[in-house]
Every structure is written in structure tokens, then in C-alpha cells.
Short mmCIF file of all heavy atoms in Angstrom, two decimals:
data_model
loop_
_atom_site.label_atom_id
_atom_site.label_comp_id
_atom_site.label_asym_id
_atom_site.label_seq_id
_atom_site.Cartn_x
_atom_site.Cartn_y
_atom_site.Cartn_z
N GLU A 1 58.96 -23.05 33.09
CA GLU A 1 57.55 -23.23 32.67
C GLU A 1 57.31 -24.68 32.30
O GLU A 1 56.24 -25.22 32.59
CB GLU A 1 57.33 -22.37 31.45
CG GLU A 1 55.83 -22.37 30.98
CD GLU A 1 55.59 -21.39 29.91
OE1 GLU A 1 56.02 -20.17 30.05
OE2 GLU A 1 54.89 -21.81 28.98
N GLY A 2 58.28 -25.38 31.70
CA GLY A 2 58.09 -26.76 31.37
C GLY A 2 57.94 -27.67 32.61
O GLY A 2 57.10 -28.57 32.62
N LEU A 3 58.69 -27.38 33.62
CA LEU A 3 58.60 -28.12 34.87
C LEU A 3 57.27 -27.89 35.51
O LEU A 3 56.61 -28.88 36.07
CB LEU A 3 59.71 -27.72 35.84
CG LEU A 3 59.70 -28.44 37.17
CD1 LEU A 3 59.84 -29.98 36.98
CD2 LEU A 3 60.88 -27.94 38.04
N SER A 4 56.77 -26.72 35.50
CA SER A 4 55.47 -26.40 36.07
C SER A 4 54.35 -27.19 35.36
O SER A 4 53.46 -27.68 36.03
CB SER A 4 55.19 -24.88 35.96
OG SER A 4 53.91 -24.59 36.38
N ARG A 5 54.39 -27.24 34.02
CA ARG A 5 53.39 -27.99 33.30
C ARG A 5 53.44 -29.45 33.67
O ARG A 5 52.41 -30.11 33.88
CB ARG A 5 53.64 -27.82 31.79
CG ARG A 5 53.17 -26.58 31.20
CD ARG A 5 53.29 -26.57 29.72
NE ARG A 5 53.36 -25.27 29.26
CZ ARG A 5 53.99 -24.88 28.13
NH1 ARG A 5 54.60 -25.80 27.37
NH2 ARG A 5 54.00 -23.61 27.77
N ARG A 6 54.64 -30.02 33.71
CA ARG A 6 54.74 -31.44 34.04
C ARG A 6 54.20 -31.72 35.44
O ARG A 6 53.53 -32.70 35.64
CB ARG A 6 56.21 -31.84 33.96
CG ARG A 6 56.71 -31.97 32.55
CD ARG A 6 58.11 -32.56 32.53
NE ARG A 6 58.63 -32.44 31.18
CZ ARG A 6 59.71 -31.71 30.85
NH1 ARG A 6 60.35 -31.03 31.82
NH2 ARG A 6 60.14 -31.57 29.65
N LEU A 7 54.55 -30.83 36.38
CA LEU A 7 54.03 -31.00 37.71
C LEU A 7 52.55 -31.00 37.79
O LEU A 7 51.90 -31.82 38.42
CB LEU A 7 54.69 -29.96 38.63
CG LEU A 7 54.38 -30.08 40.13
CD1 LEU A 7 54.85 -31.43 40.65
CD2 LEU A 7 55.01 -28.95 40.88
N ARG A 8 51.93 -30.03 37.07
CA ARG A 8 50.47 -29.97 37.03
C ARG A 8 49.87 -31.25 36.47
O ARG A 8 48.83 -31.74 36.92
CB ARG A 8 50.02 -28.74 36.27
CG ARG A 8 50.16 -27.43 37.05
CD ARG A 8 49.65 -26.31 36.33
NE ARG A 8 50.61 -26.10 35.20
CZ ARG A 8 50.65 -25.03 34.43
NH1 ARG A 8 49.83 -24.07 34.63
NH2 ARG A 8 51.52 -24.91 33.43
N ARG A 9 50.49 -31.77 35.39
CA ARG A 9 49.97 -33.01 34.73
C ARG A 9 50.05 -34.17 35.69
O ARG A 9 49.17 -35.00 35.78
CB ARG A 9 50.69 -33.29 33.44
CG ARG A 9 50.32 -32.30 32.37
CD ARG A 9 51.14 -32.60 31.09
NE ARG A 9 50.83 -31.59 30.13
CZ ARG A 9 51.63 -31.27 29.10
NH1 ARG A 9 52.79 -31.93 28.97
NH2 ARG A 9 51.31 -30.32 28.27
N VAL A 10 51.18 -34.28 36.40
CA VAL A 10 51.34 -35.39 37.33
C VAL A 10 50.33 -35.31 38.46
O VAL A 10 49.70 -36.28 38.84
CB VAL A 10 52.79 -35.39 37.89
CG1 VAL A 10 52.88 -36.39 39.11
CG2 VAL A 10 53.79 -35.84 36.82
N ILE A 11 50.14 -34.14 39.01
CA ILE A 11 49.14 -33.89 40.07
C ILE A 11 47.73 -34.23 39.56
O ILE A 11 46.96 -34.93 40.25
CB ILE A 11 49.24 -32.43 40.59
CG1 ILE A 11 50.53 -32.25 41.35
CG2 ILE A 11 48.02 -32.15 41.49
CD1 ILE A 11 50.82 -30.80 41.72
N ALA A 12 47.41 -33.81 38.40
CA ALA A 12 46.09 -34.12 37.82
C ALA A 12 45.91 -35.62 37.61
O ALA A 12 44.86 -36.18 37.97
CB ALA A 12 45.89 -33.39 36.50
N ALA A 13 46.96 -36.28 37.06
CA ALA A 13 46.85 -37.69 36.91
C ALA A 13 46.72 -38.44 38.22
O ALA A 13 45.89 -39.38 38.33
CB ALA A 13 48.09 -38.20 36.16
N LEU A 14 47.49 -38.03 39.21
CA LEU A 14 47.33 -38.69 40.54
C LEU A 14 45.94 -38.46 41.14
O LEU A 14 45.38 -39.35 41.79
CB LEU A 14 48.40 -38.15 41.47
CG LEU A 14 49.84 -38.60 41.13
CD1 LEU A 14 50.82 -37.86 42.07
CD2 LEU A 14 50.00 -40.10 41.21
N TYR A 15 45.37 -37.29 40.93
CA TYR A 15 44.05 -36.95 41.45
C TYR A 15 43.03 -37.91 40.72
O TYR A 15 42.20 -38.54 41.49
CB TYR A 15 43.65 -35.52 41.13
CG TYR A 15 42.26 -35.20 41.52
CD1 TYR A 15 41.93 -34.82 42.80
CD2 TYR A 15 41.22 -35.27 40.59
CE1 TYR A 15 40.63 -34.53 43.18
CE2 TYR A 15 39.93 -34.92 40.91
CZ TYR A 15 39.65 -34.56 42.25
OH TYR A 15 38.36 -34.27 42.60
N PHE A 16 43.05 -38.06 39.44
CA PHE A 16 42.12 -38.91 38.76
C PHE A 16 42.31 -40.36 39.16
O PHE A 16 41.33 -41.12 39.31
CB PHE A 16 42.24 -38.77 37.24
CG PHE A 16 41.70 -37.41 36.74
CD1 PHE A 16 42.47 -36.52 36.08
CD2 PHE A 16 40.36 -37.09 36.92
CE1 PHE A 16 41.98 -35.32 35.61
CE2 PHE A 16 39.82 -35.88 36.52
CZ PHE A 16 40.68 -35.01 35.85
N ILE A 17 43.54 -40.83 39.31
CA ILE A 17 43.80 -42.21 39.69
C ILE A 17 43.26 -42.42 41.08
O ILE A 17 42.56 -43.44 41.35
CB ILE A 17 45.27 -42.53 39.64
CG1 ILE A 17 45.74 -42.56 38.16
CG2 ILE A 17 45.62 -43.84 40.33
CD1 ILE A 17 47.26 -42.56 38.00
N ALA A 18 43.52 -41.51 42.03
CA ALA A 18 43.09 -41.67 43.39
C ALA A 18 41.53 -41.70 43.54
O ALA A 18 41.04 -42.36 44.41
CB ALA A 18 43.64 -40.55 44.25
N HIS A 19 40.83 -41.06 42.64
CA HIS A 19 39.37 -40.95 42.73
C HIS A 19 38.73 -42.00 41.81
O HIS A 19 37.52 -41.95 41.58
CB HIS A 19 38.90 -39.55 42.43
CG HIS A 19 39.15 -38.63 43.53
ND1 HIS A 19 40.39 -37.92 43.61
CD2 HIS A 19 38.46 -38.28 44.60
CE1 HIS A 19 40.37 -37.16 44.68
NE2 HIS A 19 39.23 -37.40 45.33
N GLY A 20 39.51 -42.89 41.24
CA GLY A 20 38.93 -43.97 40.44
C GLY A 20 38.33 -43.50 39.14
O GLY A 20 37.42 -44.15 38.59
N ALA A 21 38.83 -42.40 38.61
CA ALA A 21 38.22 -41.85 37.33
C ALA A 21 38.93 -42.27 36.09
O ALA A 21 38.67 -41.71 35.03
CB ALA A 21 38.26 -40.28 37.50
N VAL A 22 39.83 -43.21 36.22
CA VAL A 22 40.60 -43.69 35.08
C VAL A 22 40.00 -44.98 34.57
O VAL A 22 39.83 -45.95 35.30
CB VAL A 22 42.10 -43.91 35.39
CG1 VAL A 22 42.83 -44.40 34.20
CG2 VAL A 22 42.71 -42.62 35.90
N ASP A 23 39.60 -44.97 33.30
CA ASP A 23 39.14 -46.22 32.64
C ASP A 23 40.41 -46.88 32.08
O ASP A 23 40.89 -46.57 30.99
CB ASP A 23 38.18 -45.87 31.53
CG ASP A 23 37.52 -47.11 30.95
OD1 ASP A 23 37.93 -48.20 31.25
OD2 ASP A 23 36.57 -46.94 30.12
N TRP A 24 40.92 -47.85 32.84
CA TRP A 24 42.27 -48.44 32.53
C TRP A 24 42.31 -49.12 31.15
O TRP A 24 43.34 -48.94 30.46
CB TRP A 24 42.70 -49.36 33.63
CG TRP A 24 43.05 -48.59 34.88
CD1 TRP A 24 42.31 -48.49 36.01
CD2 TRP A 24 44.14 -47.71 35.04
NE1 TRP A 24 42.88 -47.61 36.90
CE2 TRP A 24 44.01 -47.10 36.33
CE3 TRP A 24 45.20 -47.35 34.28
CZ2 TRP A 24 44.98 -46.23 36.86
CZ3 TRP A 24 46.13 -46.42 34.76
CH2 TRP A 24 46.01 -45.86 36.03
N PRO A 25 41.33 -49.86 30.72
CA PRO A 25 41.50 -50.43 29.34
C PRO A 25 41.54 -49.37 28.28
O PRO A 25 42.40 -49.43 27.36
CB PRO A 25 40.14 -51.25 29.18
CG PRO A 25 39.78 -51.58 30.57
CD PRO A 25 40.16 -50.39 31.43
N ASP A 26 40.75 -48.25 28.39
CA ASP A 26 40.83 -47.19 27.43
C ASP A 26 42.20 -46.47 27.56
O ASP A 26 42.86 -46.12 26.54
CB ASP A 26 39.75 -46.16 27.60
CG ASP A 26 38.42 -46.66 27.05
OD1 ASP A 26 38.42 -47.66 26.31
OD2 ASP A 26 37.35 -46.09 27.40
N ALA A 27 42.70 -46.31 28.72
CA ALA A 27 43.98 -45.65 28.99
C ALA A 27 45.10 -46.48 28.37
O ALA A 27 46.02 -45.92 27.83
CB ALA A 27 44.21 -45.46 30.50
N ALA A 28 45.02 -47.76 28.48
CA ALA A 28 46.03 -48.69 27.92
C ALA A 28 46.08 -48.53 26.39
O ALA A 28 47.13 -48.49 25.76
CB ALA A 28 45.80 -50.12 28.35
N VAL A 29 44.88 -48.54 25.78
CA VAL A 29 44.84 -48.43 24.33
C VAL A 29 45.42 -47.12 23.90
O VAL A 29 46.20 -47.03 22.94
CB VAL A 29 43.39 -48.61 23.83
CG1 VAL A 29 43.18 -48.22 22.35
CG2 VAL A 29 42.88 -49.97 24.07
N LEU A 30 45.05 -46.01 24.59
CA LEU A 30 45.58 -44.69 24.23
C LEU A 30 47.08 -44.63 24.39
O LEU A 30 47.77 -44.04 23.57
CB LEU A 30 44.92 -43.61 25.11
CG LEU A 30 43.45 -43.31 24.78
CD1 LEU A 30 42.87 -42.41 25.84
CD2 LEU A 30 43.36 -42.68 23.37
N THR A 31 47.59 -45.28 25.44
CA THR A 31 49.04 -45.27 25.65
C THR A 31 49.76 -46.02 24.59
O THR A 31 50.80 -45.52 24.08
CB THR A 31 49.35 -45.90 27.04
OG1 THR A 31 48.70 -45.14 28.07
CG2 THR A 31 50.85 -45.90 27.33
N VAL A 32 49.28 -47.16 24.21
CA VAL A 32 49.94 -47.92 23.12
C VAL A 32 49.89 -47.08 21.82
O VAL A 32 50.85 -47.01 21.10
CB VAL A 32 49.27 -49.31 22.93
CG1 VAL A 32 49.72 -49.96 21.66
CG2 VAL A 32 49.53 -50.15 24.14
N GLY A 33 48.72 -46.51 21.54
CA GLY A 33 48.63 -45.69 20.29
C GLY A 33 49.54 -44.51 20.34
O GLY A 33 50.20 -44.14 19.31
N GLN A 34 49.77 -43.86 21.49
CA GLN A 34 50.70 -42.71 21.59
C GLN A 34 52.16 -43.22 21.34
O GLN A 34 52.90 -42.52 20.64
CB GLN A 34 50.55 -42.07 22.94
CG GLN A 34 49.29 -41.28 23.13
CD GLN A 34 49.09 -40.81 24.53
OE1 GLN A 34 49.76 -41.26 25.48
NE2 GLN A 34 48.23 -39.81 24.69
N ILE A 35 52.50 -44.38 21.90
CA ILE A 35 53.90 -44.87 21.73
C ILE A 35 54.14 -45.20 20.29
O ILE A 35 55.12 -44.82 19.67
CB ILE A 35 54.17 -46.01 22.68
CG1 ILE A 35 54.13 -45.55 24.13
CG2 ILE A 35 55.46 -46.73 22.33
CD1 ILE A 35 54.13 -46.64 25.14
N VAL A 36 53.22 -46.00 19.73
CA VAL A 36 53.40 -46.36 18.30
C VAL A 36 53.39 -45.20 17.39
O VAL A 36 54.22 -45.05 16.50
CB VAL A 36 52.33 -47.40 17.91
CG1 VAL A 36 52.34 -47.65 16.40
CG2 VAL A 36 52.45 -48.72 18.65
N GLY A 37 52.45 -44.30 17.65
CA GLY A 37 52.35 -43.08 16.83
C GLY A 37 53.58 -42.19 16.90
O GLY A 37 54.08 -41.65 15.86
N SER A 38 54.17 -42.10 18.07
CA SER A 38 55.37 -41.26 18.19
C SER A 38 56.57 -41.86 17.57
O SER A 38 57.43 -41.14 17.04
CB SER A 38 55.66 -40.96 19.66
OG SER A 38 56.07 -42.12 20.33
N TRP A 39 56.64 -43.16 17.57
CA TRP A 39 57.81 -43.85 16.95
C TRP A 39 57.67 -43.92 15.40
O TRP A 39 58.63 -43.60 14.69
CB TRP A 39 57.93 -45.23 17.44
CG TRP A 39 58.63 -45.34 18.75
CD1 TRP A 39 59.32 -44.37 19.40
CD2 TRP A 39 58.58 -46.44 19.69
NE1 TRP A 39 59.75 -44.77 20.61
CE2 TRP A 39 59.34 -46.07 20.84
CE3 TRP A 39 57.99 -47.71 19.65
CZ2 TRP A 39 59.47 -46.92 21.89
CZ3 TRP A 39 58.15 -48.56 20.72
CH2 TRP A 39 58.91 -48.15 21.83
N GLY A 40 56.50 -44.29 14.92
CA GLY A 40 56.41 -44.49 13.49
C GLY A 40 55.56 -43.56 12.71
O GLY A 40 55.71 -43.37 11.48
N GLY A 41 54.60 -42.96 13.38
CA GLY A 41 53.66 -42.09 12.70
C GLY A 41 54.23 -40.94 11.97
O GLY A 41 53.83 -40.64 10.84
N SER A 42 55.20 -40.30 12.58
CA SER A 42 55.80 -39.11 11.92
C SER A 42 56.55 -39.53 10.68
O SER A 42 56.54 -38.80 9.63
CB SER A 42 56.68 -38.35 12.88
OG SER A 42 57.72 -39.15 13.29
N ARG A 43 57.24 -40.69 10.72
CA ARG A 43 57.97 -41.13 9.56
C ARG A 43 57.03 -41.46 8.38
O ARG A 43 57.34 -41.15 7.27
CB ARG A 43 58.81 -42.37 9.97
CG ARG A 43 59.91 -42.00 10.85
CD ARG A 43 60.84 -43.24 11.16
NE ARG A 43 61.84 -42.87 12.17
CZ ARG A 43 61.96 -43.41 13.30
NH1 ARG A 43 61.16 -44.38 13.65
NH2 ARG A 43 62.88 -43.00 14.13
N VAL A 44 55.98 -42.13 8.72
CA VAL A 44 54.98 -42.51 7.67
C VAL A 44 54.33 -41.24 7.18
O VAL A 44 54.17 -41.05 5.94
CB VAL A 44 53.96 -43.48 8.20
CG1 VAL A 44 52.80 -43.73 7.25
CG2 VAL A 44 54.61 -44.80 8.61
N ALA A 45 53.94 -40.38 8.04
CA ALA A 45 53.18 -39.15 7.64
C ALA A 45 53.99 -38.27 6.66
O ALA A 45 53.46 -37.59 5.81
CB ALA A 45 52.75 -38.36 8.85
N ARG A 46 55.33 -38.23 6.91
CA ARG A 46 56.14 -37.38 6.01
C ARG A 46 56.12 -37.94 4.58
O ARG A 46 56.41 -37.11 3.66
CB ARG A 46 57.59 -37.39 6.53
CG ARG A 46 57.77 -36.53 7.74
CD ARG A 46 59.20 -36.48 8.12
NE ARG A 46 59.34 -36.19 9.53
CZ ARG A 46 60.29 -36.57 10.30
NH1 ARG A 46 61.32 -37.29 9.84
NH2 ARG A 46 60.34 -36.28 11.58
N ASN A 47 55.88 -39.17 4.40
CA ASN A 47 55.96 -39.76 3.04
C ASN A 47 54.58 -39.81 2.37
O ASN A 47 54.52 -40.23 1.26
CB ASN A 47 56.53 -41.17 3.08
CG ASN A 47 58.00 -41.11 3.55
OD1 ASN A 47 58.75 -40.21 3.16
ND2 ASN A 47 58.39 -42.05 4.31
N LEU A 48 53.58 -39.36 3.06
CA LEU A 48 52.21 -39.34 2.49
C LEU A 48 51.77 -37.97 2.11
O LEU A 48 52.20 -37.00 2.73
CB LEU A 48 51.22 -39.90 3.54
CG LEU A 48 51.33 -41.40 3.90
CD1 LEU A 48 50.38 -41.68 5.02
CD2 LEU A 48 51.12 -42.33 2.68
N PRO A 49 50.87 -37.85 1.16
CA PRO A 49 50.35 -36.50 0.83
C PRO A 49 49.46 -36.00 2.01
O PRO A 49 48.87 -36.80 2.72
CB PRO A 49 49.48 -36.79 -0.39
CG PRO A 49 49.40 -38.22 -0.63
CD PRO A 49 50.38 -38.86 0.26
N PRO A 50 49.44 -34.69 2.18
CA PRO A 50 48.69 -34.10 3.29
C PRO A 50 47.28 -34.56 3.35
O PRO A 50 46.65 -34.72 4.43
CB PRO A 50 48.79 -32.58 3.08
CG PRO A 50 50.03 -32.45 2.25
CD PRO A 50 50.13 -33.68 1.43
N THR A 51 46.57 -34.73 2.19
CA THR A 51 45.21 -35.12 2.17
C THR A 51 45.03 -36.54 2.79
O THR A 51 44.04 -36.85 3.44
CB THR A 51 44.60 -35.07 0.77
OG1 THR A 51 45.41 -35.86 -0.12
CG2 THR A 51 44.50 -33.64 0.30
N ALA A 52 45.96 -37.41 2.54
CA ALA A 52 45.96 -38.78 3.07
C ALA A 52 46.05 -38.80 4.60
O ALA A 52 45.37 -39.43 5.34
CB ALA A 52 46.98 -39.64 2.45
N VAL A 53 47.04 -37.94 5.02
CA VAL A 53 47.27 -37.81 6.50
C VAL A 53 45.99 -37.27 7.18
O VAL A 53 45.52 -37.77 8.22
CB VAL A 53 48.44 -36.92 6.80
CG1 VAL A 53 48.56 -36.69 8.31
CG2 VAL A 53 49.67 -37.52 6.26
N ARG A 54 45.35 -36.28 6.58
CA ARG A 54 44.15 -35.67 7.10
C ARG A 54 43.06 -36.72 7.19
O ARG A 54 42.31 -36.81 8.17
CB ARG A 54 43.72 -34.48 6.18
CG ARG A 54 43.36 -33.27 6.98
CD ARG A 54 43.04 -32.07 6.06
NE ARG A 54 44.30 -31.38 5.80
CZ ARG A 54 44.76 -31.10 4.59
NH1 ARG A 54 44.07 -31.48 3.50
NH2 ARG A 54 45.86 -30.52 4.44
N ALA A 55 42.90 -37.50 6.14
CA ALA A 55 41.87 -38.52 6.09
C ALA A 55 42.02 -39.55 7.21
O ALA A 55 41.06 -40.00 7.84
CB ALA A 55 41.85 -39.19 4.74
N VAL A 56 43.31 -39.98 7.39
CA VAL A 56 43.58 -40.98 8.45
C VAL A 56 43.25 -40.38 9.80
O VAL A 56 42.61 -41.05 10.65
CB VAL A 56 45.00 -41.42 8.39
CG1 VAL A 56 45.38 -42.20 9.61
CG2 VAL A 56 45.22 -42.26 7.11
N VAL A 57 43.68 -39.17 10.09
CA VAL A 57 43.41 -38.56 11.38
C VAL A 57 41.91 -38.38 11.62
O VAL A 57 41.39 -38.74 12.75
CB VAL A 57 44.09 -37.11 11.44
CG1 VAL A 57 43.62 -36.34 12.68
CG2 VAL A 57 45.59 -37.32 11.47
N ILE A 58 41.13 -37.99 10.61
CA ILE A 58 39.72 -37.88 10.79
C ILE A 58 39.07 -39.24 11.03
O ILE A 58 38.23 -39.41 11.88
CB ILE A 58 39.12 -37.18 9.53
CG1 ILE A 58 39.50 -35.69 9.54
CG2 ILE A 58 37.58 -37.30 9.51
CD1 ILE A 58 39.23 -35.00 8.22
N ALA A 59 39.49 -40.27 10.23
CA ALA A 59 38.91 -41.62 10.45
C ALA A 59 39.20 -42.14 11.83
O ALA A 59 38.24 -42.69 12.49
CB ALA A 59 39.47 -42.57 9.35
N VAL A 60 40.38 -42.00 12.33
CA VAL A 60 40.73 -42.45 13.69
C VAL A 60 39.88 -41.70 14.74
O VAL A 60 39.31 -42.31 15.66
CB VAL A 60 42.22 -42.34 13.93
CG1 VAL A 60 42.54 -42.54 15.43
CG2 VAL A 60 43.01 -43.28 13.09
N GLY A 61 39.75 -40.44 14.53
CA GLY A 61 38.97 -39.61 15.51
C GLY A 61 37.51 -40.04 15.54
O GLY A 61 36.86 -40.16 16.54
N VAL A 62 36.90 -40.31 14.34
CA VAL A 62 35.50 -40.75 14.26
C VAL A 62 35.34 -42.11 14.88
O VAL A 62 34.42 -42.33 15.62
CB VAL A 62 35.06 -40.74 12.78
CG1 VAL A 62 33.70 -41.46 12.62
CG2 VAL A 62 34.97 -39.28 12.25
N VAL A 63 36.23 -43.01 14.58
CA VAL A 63 36.14 -44.39 15.18
C VAL A 63 36.24 -44.33 16.70
O VAL A 63 35.47 -44.96 17.45
CB VAL A 63 37.28 -45.29 14.60
CG1 VAL A 63 37.36 -46.58 15.41
CG2 VAL A 63 36.94 -45.64 13.13
N MET A 64 37.13 -43.53 17.24
CA MET A 64 37.29 -43.39 18.67
C MET A 64 36.01 -42.77 19.29
O MET A 64 35.54 -43.18 20.31
CB MET A 64 38.49 -42.52 19.02
CG MET A 64 39.82 -43.26 18.79
SD MET A 64 41.28 -42.28 19.17
CE MET A 64 41.06 -42.02 20.88
N ALA A 65 35.49 -41.74 18.66
CA ALA A 65 34.26 -41.09 19.14
C ALA A 65 33.10 -42.04 19.16
O ALA A 65 32.36 -42.10 20.16
CB ALA A 65 33.99 -39.84 18.33
N VAL A 66 32.93 -42.80 18.07
CA VAL A 66 31.78 -43.73 18.06
C VAL A 66 31.98 -44.81 19.09
O VAL A 66 31.05 -45.20 19.79
CB VAL A 66 31.71 -44.31 16.63
CG1 VAL A 66 30.71 -45.48 16.59
CG2 VAL A 66 31.25 -43.26 15.61
N SER A 67 33.24 -45.27 19.23
CA SER A 67 33.45 -46.31 20.25
C SER A 67 33.14 -45.87 21.63
O SER A 67 32.44 -46.52 22.41
CB SER A 67 34.97 -46.71 20.20
OG SER A 67 35.29 -47.54 21.28
N LEU A 68 33.52 -44.65 21.97
CA LEU A 68 33.22 -44.07 23.30
C LEU A 68 31.73 -43.86 23.47
O LEU A 68 31.19 -44.02 24.52
CB LEU A 68 34.03 -42.83 23.56
CG LEU A 68 35.54 -42.97 23.70
CD1 LEU A 68 36.25 -41.65 23.74
CD2 LEU A 68 35.85 -43.79 24.99
N LEU A 69 31.11 -43.39 22.37
CA LEU A 69 29.64 -43.12 22.44
C LEU A 69 28.86 -44.38 22.63
O LEU A 69 27.88 -44.41 23.46
CB LEU A 69 29.20 -42.44 21.15
CG LEU A 69 27.79 -41.92 21.09
CD1 LEU A 69 27.60 -40.82 22.11
CD2 LEU A 69 27.48 -41.40 19.72
N LEU A 70 29.24 -45.46 21.99
CA LEU A 70 28.55 -46.74 22.16
C LEU A 70 28.73 -47.44 23.46
O LEU A 70 27.94 -48.23 23.89
CB LEU A 70 28.98 -47.69 21.04
CG LEU A 70 28.57 -47.30 19.62
CD1 LEU A 70 29.19 -48.32 18.58
CD2 LEU A 70 27.06 -47.19 19.51
N LYS A 71 29.79 -47.05 24.21
CA LYS A 71 30.05 -47.63 25.57
C LYS A 71 29.12 -47.07 26.58
O LYS A 71 28.99 -47.65 27.62
CB LYS A 71 31.53 -47.40 25.98
CG LYS A 71 32.48 -48.26 25.27
CD LYS A 71 33.79 -48.10 25.88
CE LYS A 71 34.79 -49.12 25.25
NZ LYS A 71 36.07 -49.14 25.93
N ARG A 72 28.50 -45.96 26.31
CA ARG A 72 27.65 -45.32 27.34
C ARG A 72 26.32 -45.98 27.41
O ARG A 72 25.54 -46.48 26.87
CB ARG A 72 27.48 -43.87 27.04
CG ARG A 72 28.73 -43.18 27.25
CD ARG A 72 28.65 -41.69 27.06
NE ARG A 72 29.90 -41.08 27.30
CZ ARG A 72 30.05 -39.98 28.01
NH1 ARG A 72 29.00 -39.41 28.53
NH2 ARG A 72 31.21 -39.49 28.20
#
């Protein structure tokens, strides 16, 4: 099942790339955020109270949504 999911994701990514549907600057920002978040985010989050983690997640989501909305 894991291999099947990976294969579908790769096929979907190749499809979007081939059809020019990837906004590369946004994709680069998301990639950097994912890498930094996976390395350090979990360590930091474990030491914070749940309400603080929730507030940060909501703030980041709102900022990203507004950024994408303003680009249109």
C-alpha cells in the first residue's frame, strides 16, 4: 500500500509539472518549510504548551491563505 501511494504521488507530480501547473516560487517556499519543520518543528512543539502550538499553526495558515489570496 505504501508503494502504491508513492507511485500515485509521483505520477501526479509529473503530470502537474508536465502541464506547467506548478508555481515554482511557492513550491520552493513550501519545500523549505517542510524540511525545516520536519527537522526542528517537532522538537520545539514538544516543549511548548498545546495552546501555543495551536496558535502558531493557525497564524501560519492564515498568513499563507492571505498571501495566496492577494496574489490573485
